[in-house]
Amino acid sequence: MMSSSAVIEVKDVGMTYKTRDGRSHTALEGCNFDVAPGEFVSVVGQSGSGKSTLLRIISGLINNTSGEVLLKGKNVAHSLRELAMVFQAPVLLPWRNNLDNVLLPMEFRKAVTPQVRAYAKELLEIAGLGDQATKYSYELSGGMQQRVAICRALVSRPDILLMDEPFGALDAMTRDTMNFELQRIWHETRQSVLFVTHSIPEAIWLADRVIVVGDRPGRIVADIKIDIPRLRTREHRFSEDFTAYERQIEALIGTPGAIS
């Protein structure tokens, strides 16, 4: 059931487009869910299930063909400044130091004040990069660069942070570390997050709820509350409860959940 206080409401969203041969292809059909203030929601599904398409609709990058997306009760198309997005690649500007990369969205808005600059530095501290503020992206590891990108997305204090497989390009060990780092950053900021991934363990580890997208056309087949205490540890990752969630989601989407 949709919450009247939800940050994001996805209502009967569908996406149909024409292929090159003139046929119609339905990528998404009848998707319904919401994200509450301060909630971390993961979206998981097989490659090609439409989960990234769904995120791009929510972000306003593409237009849905049916249904609507509301941000705090208003059509998301009129509220794009109130959301931020993190992609798989950090896309930092190499000629700007890390602090200036974080401040970039506020420069575009002509809104860099002493308070905003102090908040950008605070975000880098929260991300464990306080001593890297004056360094450049090429001096950082891939995981550290992605942390800068997360700080850049948070600096405008968005109503919701959208994340499209942000750790997909990282090696397995760095990705595991980034799961811990993102959990810690979320715990510090209590930012509303909608996180798309193809990794079942990652989805469970990070989320309060996991939205499971079925395949072709993409539709919501389950909305699962993750009842594992915060902050989560490696012991939780290998617990019986965690394994039970993995099996439940694997059965729904028919794919093994190991991070790849």
Side-chain angles (χ1 to χ4, degrees):
M1 181 177 294
M2 297 288 183
S3 168
S4 60
S5 63
V7 176
I8 283 284
E9 296 173 82
V10 175
K11 297 185 172 183
D12 293 321
V13 164
M15 180 67 185
T16 300
Y17 57 88
K18 295 288 186 181
T19 61
R20 290 184 179 180
D21 60 6
R23 297 180 182 180
S24 293
H25 173 73
T26 300
L28 293 170
E29 185 176 77
C31 295
N32 291 276
F33 67 93
D34 62 12
V35 180
E39 190 174 32
F40 197 120
V41 176
S42 292
V43 179
V44 68
Q46 293 192 46
S47 296
S49 63
K51 58 188 186 297
S52 289
T53 298
L54 179 60
L55 199 70
R56 288 183 172 90
I57 289 170
I58 294 169
S59 71
L61 291 174
I62 59 175
N63 295 321
N64 46 302
T65 52
S66 61
E68 61 179 347
V69 179
L70 302 179
L71 176 57
K72 298 181 77 172
K74 298 180 180 179
N75 189 292
V76 73
H78 305 302
S79 307
L80 296 179
R81 288 169 63 94
E82 308 309 319
L83 54 80
M85 193 158 181
V86 177
F87 297 93
Q88 189 173 109
V91 197
L92 302 176
L93 301 180
W95 59 88
R96 295 175 67 99
N97 66 33
N98 295 314
L99 177 60
D100 288 341
N101 265 296
V102 172
L103 287 168
L104 189 61
M106 303 309 289
E107 286 189 22
F108 286 141
R109 300 183 187 193
K110 301 186 185 304
V112 178
T113 64
Q115 293 79 10
V116 167
R117 184 171 291 274
Y119 183 54
K121 292 179 179 178
E122 179 185 346
L123 286 170
L124 286 170
E125 289 284 351
I126 290 171
L129 298 172
D131 59 347
Q132 306 293 319
T134 59
K135 293 187 177 181
Y136 294 82
S137 60
Y138 54 80
E139 300 180 84
L140 305 182
S141 67
M144 293 169 78
Q145 288 180 25
Q146 198 64 307
R147 277 187 270 165
V148 174
I150 293 169
C151 292
R152 181 181 59 195
L154 292 173
V155 74
S156 62
R157 301 180 189 268
D159 287 325
I160 190 160
L161 178 62
L162 308 176
M163 307 187 79
D164 190 7
E165 303 211 33
F167 309 141
L170 302 177
D171 64 83
M173 290 184 64
T174 303
R175 184 170 185 166
D176 188 52
T177 299
M178 286 304 299
N179 280 312
F180 279 91
E181 290 297 327
L182 181 56
Q183 179 189 220
R184 185 176 57 78
I185 293 168
W186 174 83
H187 191 261
E188 291 282 340
T189 63
R190 295 294 175 169
Q191 172 71 50
S192 303
V193 178
L194 185 61
F195 182 98
V196 164
T197 180
H198 67 270
S199 165
I200 294 172
E202 186 171 73
I204 298 166
W205 169 264
L206 289 167
D208 299 306
R209 288 163 46 221
V210 174
I211 305 296
V212 183
V213 180
D215 203 14
R216 297 176 186 169
R219 57 171 63 87
I220 308 303
V221 297
D223 185 339
I224 301 169
K225 178 176 170 52
I226 305 301
D227 192 17
I228 298 175
R230 303 269 194 183
L231 289 167
R232 292 168 188 164
T233 66
R234 294 189 186 278
E235 286 72 25
H236 290 120
R237 170 64 184 85
F238 297 104
S239 68
E240 291 183 7
D241 287 343
F242 198 102
T243 300
Y245 284 124
E246 282 187 290
R247 289 173 178 166
Q248 180 184 4
I249 295 171
E250 285 175 8
L252 288 164
I253 64 177
T255 186
I259 291 175
S260 59

